[in-house]
Amino acid sequence: MNASETTGPQSGSSRQLLHLLREEPPKERADAARNRQKVLAAAAKLFREEGVEAVSMDAIAAEAGVGKGTLFRRFGDKSGLVAALLDDQERLLQGRIISGPPPLGPGAPAAERVVAFVDAYAAYLFENLDLLRVSETASPGARYRIGAYRFWHLHLAILLAEARPGCDADLVAHTLLAPLGAEHATAVLHEHEAERVGAALRDLANALVGSRP
């Protein structure tokens, strides 16, 4: 997504967020684009049927009908392939934050937007839990180096600074994102239903923005 793809008036915070969005990928040859879509479709199918951890890159290459070398050159490893699968959904959520309807998008009070973000991100997290877990744990600290994390963090920090003047918005944003990590969510969801976990996350967000520091 780039600035020309968003609609409606852009707030200052939206313009800041736009700077963090990745540039559109370079144009590909038609055959390369077809192979990429074949690989992503094959990976999505196998991950859905067998689980992310159980599927090897060899199996994905075979399912897609491409050479293993091609797969590794294009995506690096399984975490790179997972990142490519997550990319479209991340862009959709980012677009809703920048220019979608309130309260997730601009136009609602900052406190309401914080809670709306937590609700929307929790839904995205639960739907893509296995993929996000691979992406975020590919190496120590991987979650915090992902461009999307910087986007989510900046968005929350901007809103928290407005909703709770005087708070350490940068650190509080990290604190609110901590229980939205895939590793944490995986452990909690073994013991509690997703609806209960989502309600607890919403309560946490309301508590952070509903009281003064």
Side-chain angles (χ1 to χ4, degrees):
M1 180 183 299
N2 55 43
S4 65
E5 293 176 296
T6 60
T7 58
Q10 297 297 314
S11 67
S13 60
S14 294
R15 286 191 293 272
Q16 287 179 271
L17 293 173
L18 280 168
H19 287 300
L20 284 184
L21 291 181
R22 288 164 289 186
E23 295 296 327
E24 290 292 342
K27 294 292 184 181
E28 298 179 296
R29 298 192 320 270
D31 59 337
R34 283 194 299 270
N35 280 340
R36 182 176 189 274
Q37 289 307 312
K38 284 168 57 179
V39 168
L40 293 179
K45 175 178 179 290
L46 292 175
F47 289 160
R48 184 173 58 253
E49 294 175 350
E50 303 178 25
V52 178
E53 293 186 5
V55 177
S56 68
M57 293 288 274
D58 286 358
I60 294 169
E63 178 73 22
V66 302
K68 186 170 66 172
T70 298
L71 189 63
F72 279 98
R73 283 193 299 274
R74 184 60 184 269
F75 297 100
D77 55 17
K78 189 188 289 187
S79 65
L81 181 52
V82 164
L85 281 171
L86 289 170
D87 186 66
D88 287 346
Q89 295 190 59
E90 288 174 350
R91 288 174 183 273
L92 286 173
L93 182 52
Q94 290 164 349
R96 291 166 60 201
I97 287 169
I98 291 173
S99 58
L104 183 60
E112 291 182 20
R113 294 194 69 197
V114 169
V115 178
F117 169 79
V118 169
D119 279 341
Y121 190 87
Y124 162 70
L125 170 66
F126 298 159
E127 184 177 347
N128 299 282
L129 188 57
D130 288 347
L131 294 176
L132 284 164
R133 190 179 183 192
V134 170
S135 175
E136 293 179 3
T137 62
S139 61
R143 182 189 184 202
Y144 308 100
R145 294 192 297 273
I146 297 170
Y149 182 88
R150 295 194 295 274
F151 180 99
W152 315 133
H153 174 263
L154 177 60
H155 175 57
L156 281 177
I158 291 169
L159 295 179
L160 287 164
E162 182 179 343
R164 296 189 60 192
C167 79
D168 188 342
D170 183 81
L171 188 55
V172 175
H174 283 302
T175 302
L176 186 52
L177 285 167
L180 290 165
E183 192 77 354
H184 173 82
T186 299
V188 173
L189 287 169
H190 279 309
E191 300 180 5
H192 306 288
E193 294 182 355
E195 287 185 6
R196 185 178 176 188
V197 177
L201 290 167
R202 191 178 309 114
D203 286 344
L204 175 61
N206 273 310
L208 284 173
V209 296
S211 59
R212 294 295 176 184

